[in-house]
Amino acid sequence: MKLWQKNYTLHALIEEFTVGEDYLLDQILVPFDCKASIAHAHMLHSIGILTKKECKQLQETLEEIIQLHTKGKFTVKKEDEDCHTAIEKYLVEQLGDLGKKIHTGRSRNDQVLTALRLYYKQELTTIQLQLKKIHESFSKISEKYGSIKWPGFTHMRKAMPSSVAMWAEAFQESFLDTQALLSTTYKLVDQSPLGTGAGFGVPLPVDREMTAKELGFGSIQKNPLYVQNSRGKIEGTLLFGLSQIMYDVNKIASDLILFSMPTFGFITLPDELCTGSSIMPQKKNPDVLELLRANYHVVLSYQFQVQSLMTNLISGYNRDVQLTKKPMMQGLQLVKQSLEVLVLVLNSLQVNKNACEKALTNEVYATEKAYELVQQGMSFRNAYHKIAEDMY
Amino acid sequence: MKLWQKNYTLHALIEEFTVGEDYLLDQILVPFDCKASIAHAHMLHSIGILTKKECKQLQETLEEIIQLHTKGKFTVKKEDEDCHTAIEKYLVEQLGDLGKKIHTGRSRNDQVLTALRLYYKQELTTIQLQLKKIHESFSKISEKYGSIKWPGFTHMRKAMPSSVAMWAEAFQESFLDTQALLSTTYKLVDQSPLGTGAGFGVPLPVDREMTAKELGFGSIQKNPLYVQNSRGKIEGTLLFGLSQIMYDVNKIASDLILFSMPTFGFITLPDELCTGSSIMPQKKNPDVLELLRANYHVVLSYQFQVQSLMTNLISGYNRDVQLTKKPMMQGLQLVKQSLEVLVLVLNSLQVNKNACEKALTNEVYATEKAYELVQQGMSFRNAYHKIAEDMY
Amino acid sequence: MKLWQKNYTLHALIEEFTVGEDYLLDQILVPFDCKASIAHAHMLHSIGILTKKECKQLQETLEEIIQLHTKGKFTVKKEDEDCHTAIEKYLVEQLGDLGKKIHTGRSRNDQVLTALRLYYKQELTTIQLQLKKIHESFSKISEKYGSIKWPGFTHMRKAMPSSVAMWAEAFQESFLDTQALLSTTYKLVDQSPLGTGAGFGVPLPVDREMTAKELGFGSIQKNPLYVQNSRGKIEGTLLFGLSQIMYDVNKIASDLILFSMPTFGFITLPDELCTGSSIMPQKKNPDVLELLRANYHVVLSYQFQVQSLMTNLISGYNRDVQLTKKPMMQGLQLVKQSLEVLVLVLNSLQVNKNACEKALTNEVYATEKAYELVQQGMSFRNAYHKIAEDMY
Amino acid sequence: MKLWQKNYTLHALIEEFTVGEDYLLDQILVPFDCKASIAHAHMLHSIGILTKKECKQLQETLEEIIQLHTKGKFTVKKEDEDCHTAIEKYLVEQLGDLGKKIHTGRSRNDQVLTALRLYYKQELTTIQLQLKKIHESFSKISEKYGSIKWPGFTHMRKAMPSSVAMWAEAFQESFLDTQALLSTTYKLVDQSPLGTGAGFGVPLPVDREMTAKELGFGSIQKNPLYVQNSRGKIEGTLLFGLSQIMYDVNKIASDLILFSMPTFGFITLPDELCTGSSIMPQKKNPDVLELLRANYHVVLSYQFQVQSLMTNLISGYNRDVQLTKKPMMQGLQLVKQSLEVLVLVLNSLQVNKNACEKALTNEVYATEKAYELVQQGMSFRNAYHKIAEDMY
């Protein structure tokens, strides 16, 4: 039985189609939804809807669900439609009519958003920590190999002398910029939607500040309609932040794939990070790097999906928005896994000093030679042309 | 043990990362891969690599796997990496050294592609049949309601008189155009890659025409390198075809959502196709239509993912391409389900004659009035201005 | 004065915003629109709307416009809004009331589409000829350098022996597949929309077959509403075809950029195709290849723009669709230019036999060695492992 | 003559292809590049490369260029390739060998980025001011019409009572969130790249803090390689910010298009904001709203283009990045124009109280009725079912 069930039966195919994968995806949201419901119960008590005892009973049963979930014993079933129904159903089973009171003063629309944002906040915090680890990995590379010189490239052609340190620090600075973006993203996510109902408030004097505070939100979203309109907008911002992370991962992987080609040999990945071929006995392939590179495109497509889904729709809840749940969850998972793998790659790679230095052939120093002429008083453009002539 | 396993152990995290969801996705490919392996065994026998008895033993064991799979008893495990390894492993377990011969004259690269294309062909055929059903549903709508007049809209404003028949036939013609595109797509998919190895042929006189014929392919892809380069290209074409289907589904859904608003009332969906709200007792929501509409964006993002994944990569196999498997499978599933649901919607909807005709207000006939003046000899532009003046 | 001008003045900012770049883009459509108007006039004569003399006068004045346009003397001005208004205005200026008759039996909606499709057909034909030239360029490469062996790569690692011929032929086969797609695309484009009005027909017995035949269309689009709904759909298909062309161009460029790195040296581009750096005197950069590679992404974004623009809109004309004009025109231009440049690149590049052969190091032959063991009776998997062991 | 010209002539077609539209796009960058060059000259003087007199002469000539540009008399020609060359050429023409010194201590790579970022900063500041104007427009709507009640919609179905004020404030809050994102974006843009050369520094003790300060940058990007890697990344962030603006514009337009349908009649646009049809005399079309809605997709495609262009490329400058210039400039223009138009629309629209209130039919109050039962002690879920039963 669904929260909205009426005196007719939903067609089985429509039920399957509209539920979709929600019941599976929602498994991860169970504890977040329970916590939000506990805060909501406290608030309902504070405004006189629930007695102290009722509030306590609800809290205990919701905590029980969290415990069951931790042990893998609370499963959202297809017929439950989503975790919110599964949880309300359990409350009614355990507590009878009291269970039917938990939905007072809220709609599934604000309830879903509350659980999702608590979940996003947790994931984003994890990712921000992972970015710090990557920073450390690059620091270690700089310590160990930083002073090794190698050629810098422009247009995939040797350009000027560079170094491993310059390379490592480039990504450190880049991730710092991404972290600034993620901090702002976090602030947008960190707004409580609870208590705004289906997008038009609820006819009860709910205390939104109270629930926001208990749940650790930094602020509340004020306008109930904006709460609904922002679903998809905030998700898009979060996915854009993830894309920006993967932008750098893509570049790191592209660099490492090229520079670990035996023809270059600047970098070596240890065997245990390489895979083989089913037909070619000699192969040690950098699949791990190729997949890190490729994952940028996957996250980008999730971002695009969310940015595309919400277009040309009027204000207020439209069911389309529910399809943002899957790309969000998959995007977060993929980025967390990619960063974990990247740390391993960065901590394992070897830089081969000889190969790097051997690649510093003459032409890499052409600019420096031009500047020697500049130091002797020649104008830069004339010095440039003089060196260019000498080289051809 | 993987097909390519060597004298070192792959790091557990790298294994998890590179295997990814392949082992799960591959479950659906098992029978296709077995059929391709049977054809391959026949060919190996024909060129003297396998004896008649060996060939028969391999065939029987492969058919056994198909049987097990049908009964849900052949599962690709994470440690198998993919279905190809799982199948070869089973052959070796059952047949010893003979099992180790099945991979002669092929690489996993052409093997994967063969299984995938057999799978695509089956799915595409199913979808083409579904499109015929939708054509029939529109014909039924025309029969039942076709003569009902309602206003045609441009710019979301009433424009000129139209009819339910014109609406239904518009989509029939559109799907016919899509089917022309799908036929070409089918031809591109219907090329056998088997026998091209890792993209550079195999050092054996394999008979590619023989396996292509046995597997029902219309032709073979000749150039081994192109076989690899076309992975992602053909997938992109197939997903584009799916997007084009969903383009129409999106428009049908958009029309129905608007015209079933009670304010219009042209269309009614039966209750058993509508869902409700957790907070608003009165609501009957067209979630099914909203999700049909939204699924266009999902398929579009899969298409974009595949078109984006394969960029800026050199010729030959790159691991990035493997990530096309998931959006392909999900896209095919989603389109099949959406079309099934669409048939139900089309067969269930009611057109309300009164509401349609009531909407044919005066201004809808302004163009006809102008043409009456044209018939009386006035130039069109003058007639247009005369009617316009009369109306303001 | 616009075609639809009434008794009020459009706000200047709204005029600027809604006209946008149309008047500039439309410059290229003038002759196509004139030709369509001539055919339309013939048809109006055949059904008795125009006298023979009127028809002749209109035809002569329209041909005059084509002549003026060829000489650069017919300019669509901002205040004209688009080429259709500019042409009707000229007819009225030259022919008085007769000019006001040309719009009888059509709407700007079908008129625009007719001009666009005639334009698309011409451009597509040009591009198909360019693809033939590229085929020839690859044939010349095969003739001149085809027998040169070089390593084939998988995972950006040397895999097995390949050859310049295999490389060139891979792209020839790929472009042939694209041409199959373009042929179907051409058929979809080659349908006459003329005579369907604003999407709901016109209250006159127009002879649509007659105009279609005169304009060289292969068929007519039957349903007037589908004519409008197909705008954006057909454009998307055409842009997808262009993307598929650029998919191969992207890969060719990626190959050439890598293999022309001095470290590889397989390929050399002549100096006159390379550009330099403002600071580094030694540089000869393959900008031309980088831009060919990058143009794939530009065309892909045009395709995505068109596929995204038309979503979640109801049937019938919506102004949004007009924004497809610019990405279409820019996409066609970009692909034509890219193919012209690609022909030059392919005809100019040199393959360096020594560098290619030097790169055929030992490990490239590992698979062949395994197959020698297979020929001696060892199972493939055992042969594979034996060779693998020998190499580590 | 280009900055990098050597002893060979670039092929005419390659020149046309590589220059592309840069010389046209660069027209807008002239004053920004001159200002950056003035700051650069000051710095070169401070480190002893230029004498005081030389520095003054360069400054005066650069200021002269800015003056000429203001008067429309400084045009970047195709043969100049870009504004940077045109400016250096002018300096050499006017000042002889002194002009050839201006490029000391910089590369075109950091020079281009400096000019672009100064340009972005100016545009972003303009847009932030526009957003404030939109905020004011919504405030005026709230003042004038805020108390009018109308139905709120979910799933495109009437849901609960809402009001014009709630609608207006929803967008105000949304734009505030976007502005938080834009502030962070501004900080990322506001980093000086000048003095980092081609991505590997310059062999001179340039004072980067000095130029950054003179040009008003908030900070410097430290790592020269990151400067290059960030091109495309920062552009993507800026375009994402623009998309987020257009996300709301798209929704506002979608709301207004629906609610100004005569069938609803909540909203009226004045005639001078509406356009007509070439065939239907009665039509007043909301083209302006449709184009505002559609522009979201255009900006989204620019964003996607930039995010896609820079993938799978190694660190350091790649020519591909230059193609980000056009979508950036077009995106900024389009958003500025859209916001200007939106202000006009918001300030002009009328809300029709009668139509709004008439739409508040019975079912809109179902939730309130359920809550009345809750107030009387019934559990929410039971109250919900009671009301639901009453209504069917």
Side-chain angles (χ1 to χ4, degrees), chain C residues 140-290:
Chain C
K140 277 183 218 151
I141 288 175
S142 283
E143 274 169 46
K144 201 164 170 188
Y145 303 114
S147 61
I148 297 175
K149 299 262 179 207
W150 63 12
F153 288 78
T154 66
H155 303 266
M156 292 273 281
R157 297 291 176 262
K158 287 183 199 170
M160 286 172 65
S162 179
S163 70
V164 174
M166 183 183 277
W167 180 80
E169 288 161 11
F171 289 108
Q172 288 182 315
E173 194 171 340
S174 188
F175 279 121
L176 285 178
D177 274 3
T178 303
Q179 274 176 314
L181 183 72
L182 293 179
S183 295
T184 302
T185 305
Y186 191 91
K187 268 182 210 142
L188 297 182
V189 173
D190 194 24
Q191 303 183 81
S192 175
L194 193 58
T196 55
F200 309 100
V202 281
L204 270 188
V206 291
D207 186 344
R208 297 189 56 211
E209 295 285 358
M210 180 185 168
T211 47
K213 201 174 166 191
E214 175 167 341
L215 291 169
F217 280 109
S219 63
I220 63 163
Q221 270 185 306
K222 292 191 197 72
N223 186 290
L225 183 58
Y226 175 51
V227 170
Q228 293 310 311
N229 287 356
S230 71
R231 190 167 175 197
K233 190 183 173 193
I234 287 179
E235 274 74 6
T237 306
L238 186 40
L239 276 167
F240 179 73
L242 299 184
S243 286
Q244 290 297 88
I245 293 172
M246 295 309 290
Y247 178 96
D248 281 322
V249 173
N250 178 276
K251 197 169 281 301
I252 295 166
S254 299
D255 284 346
L256 294 180
I257 290 170
L258 186 72
F259 296 142
S260 66
M261 289 182 87
T263 311
F264 289 89
F266 297 173
I267 300 276
T268 314
L269 278 194
D271 281 358
E272 60 268 28
L273 270 66
C274 295
T275 46
S277 154
S278 73
I279 180 174
M280 295 172 282
Q282 87 279 13
K283 294 280 283 185
K284 289 190 182 171
N285 292 325
D287 295 58
V288 61
L289 298 173
E290 295 169 281

Side-chain angles (χ1 to χ4, degrees), chain B residues 41 99 107-108 136 153 170 180 192 230 301 318:
Chain B
S107 170
R108 200 162 33 161
E136 290 163 22
F153 288 77
S192 175
S230 70
S301 86
N318 296 285

Side-chain angles (χ1 to χ4, degrees), chain A residues 191-344:
Chain A
Q191 304 182 81
S192 175
L194 194 57
T196 57
F200 310 100
V202 281
L204 270 189
V206 292
D207 185 345
R208 298 190 54 212
E209 295 285 357
M210 180 186 167
T211 47
K213 200 174 166 190
E214 175 167 341
L215 291 168
F217 280 108
S219 63
I220 63 163
Q221 271 186 305
K222 293 191 196 72
N223 186 288
L225 184 58
Y226 176 51
V227 170
Q228 292 310 310
N229 287 356
S230 71
R231 192 168 173 195
K233 189 183 175 194
I234 287 178
E235 274 74 5
T237 306
L238 185 41
L239 276 166
F240 179 73
L242 299 184
S243 285
Q244 290 296 88
I245 293 172
M246 296 310 288
Y247 178 96
D248 281 321
V249 173
N250 177 277
K251 197 168 281 300
I252 296 167
S254 299
D255 283 344
L256 294 179
I257 290 170
L258 186 72
F259 296 141
S260 67
M261 289 183 87
T263 310
F264 289 90
F266 299 171
I267 300 277
T268 312
L269 279 195
D271 281 358
E272 61 267 28
L273 270 66
C274 295
T275 47
S277 154
S278 75
I279 180 175
M280 295 172 281
Q282 86 279 12
K283 295 280 284 186
K284 290 190 182 171
N285 291 325
D287 295 59
V288 60
L289 298 174
E290 296 170 282
L291 289 171
L292 284 175
R293 175 176 67 186
N295 281 344
Y296 172 68
H297 300 273
V298 179
V299 174
L300 190 58
S301 85
Y302 293 153
Q303 176 205 320
F304 153 67
Q305 186 178 325
V306 166
Q307 288 192 271
S308 172
L309 261 172
M310 301 311 303
T311 60
N312 298 7
L313 298 176
I314 64 162
S315 284
Y317 181 83
N318 294 286
R319 180 63 187 261
D320 316 58
V321 84
Q322 196 152 349
L323 297 188
T324 61
K325 207 193 266 183
K326 189 174 162 190
M328 281 305 301
M329 288 182 171
Q330 291 192 334
L332 287 163
Q333 274 317 102
L334 198 60
V335 168
K336 284 197 302 178
Q337 195 191 31
S338 296
L339 292 179
E340 193 185 351
V341 167
L342 180 60
V343 167
L344 176 63

